[in-house]
Amino acid sequence: MQIDVINFDGKAVSKIDLSDSIFGLDPRADILHRVVTWQRANSRAGTHAVKTVSDVAGSGKKAFKQKKTGNARQGEKYNVHMRGGGVVHGPVVRDHSIDLPKKIRSLGLKMALSSKVKEGALMVIDSEKLPAAKTSVLAKQIKKLGLTSALFVGGADLDSNFKKSAANIENVDMLPSIGLNVLDILKHEKLVLTADAVSALETRLA
């Protein structure tokens, strides 16, 4: 399929061919769900933890004498039902990551790209390079393109002026082509690829 390549002024400057095997698939919700679940699980730190009875500092001395105190008998000060004691069945340090075959990950990315094409939410620009780092100028250009929530994807590296200019614009994020992922695509209303990004993605996903 062919799509127009535009500049930041919204004017078509050329056309580009998109591979049907990457941008022309029928999206499947189950595949996208599996990939998003895998991404979110792998991003969890798993460093939450509480102290169990064996972790609480203190001696094993009996809390108070067995009888004639008016209290229920206690053997230790750090049992789970005592103030300052351990926690039972609390969170422990663990790895939340799950496995997902590379073929499913690759297929999920293709389907996410295809879903944007199907929704008419994919744009291709000739380049993201800017002559100077000016947030106000870029914000006006983005507004002219009608973008309120967009993910910009460049080639191997993003232009430094563009990164500085876009850093403080609300609902606008940017990634190099190697960092493109399903979750970030689905989080934004529009996906904006540079011509270099299209070439890099087709090489990566071929």
Side-chain angles (χ1 to χ4, degrees), residues 21-181:
S21 63
I22 297 174
F23 295 92
L25 301 179
D26 289 326
R28 283 176 49 185
D30 60 320
I31 296 293
L32 295 174
H33 178 266
R34 286 180 67 184
V35 178
V36 169
T37 301
W38 167 77
Q39 275 190 248
R40 291 178 67 86
N42 288 4
S43 67
R44 295 180 66 179
T47 53
H48 48 359
V50 294
K51 289 185 177 181
T52 62
V53 170
S54 61
D55 297 320
V56 177
S59 72
K61 181 182 178 182
K62 190 172 175 62
F64 41 78
K65 65 181 184 177
Q66 181 80 350
K67 297 182 178 181
K68 298 182 180 178
T69 65
N71 299 308
R73 55 183 179 264
Q74 304 293 338
E76 298 168 334
K77 294 180 179 179
Y78 43 79
N79 276 324
V80 295
H81 56 278
M82 298 286 281
R83 183 185 292 275
V87 176
V88 64
H89 304 311
V92 296
V93 175
R94 54 166 289 197
D95 181 11
H96 291 278
S97 63
I98 56 178
D99 290 327
L100 190 66
K102 286 183 179 179
K103 286 184 178 180
I104 301 297
R105 286 183 254 163
S106 177
L107 182 59
L109 185 53
K110 292 177 184 178
M111 287 186 171
L113 292 168
S114 297
S115 70
K116 291 300 182 185
V117 174
K118 195 170 185 179
E119 295 167 5
L122 175 71
M123 298 173 64
V124 179
I125 58 175
D126 55 348
S127 174
E128 88 285 9
K129 292 181 172 59
L130 298 175
K134 291 287 186 181
T135 299
S136 59
V137 173
L138 180 60
K140 288 178 183 177
Q141 291 174 319
I142 288 175
K143 187 176 181 180
K144 184 186 291 186
L145 293 173
L147 302 176
T148 55
S149 170
L151 174 64
F152 283 82
V153 183
D157 294 302
L158 285 165
D159 178 56
S160 60
N161 287 335
F162 178 81
K163 286 196 290 185
K164 291 175 183 176
S165 300
N168 290 325
I169 300 178
E170 189 177 9
N171 297 325
V172 171
D173 290 312
M174 57 212 137
L175 288 171
S177 58
I178 193 64
L180 185 61
N181 60 85

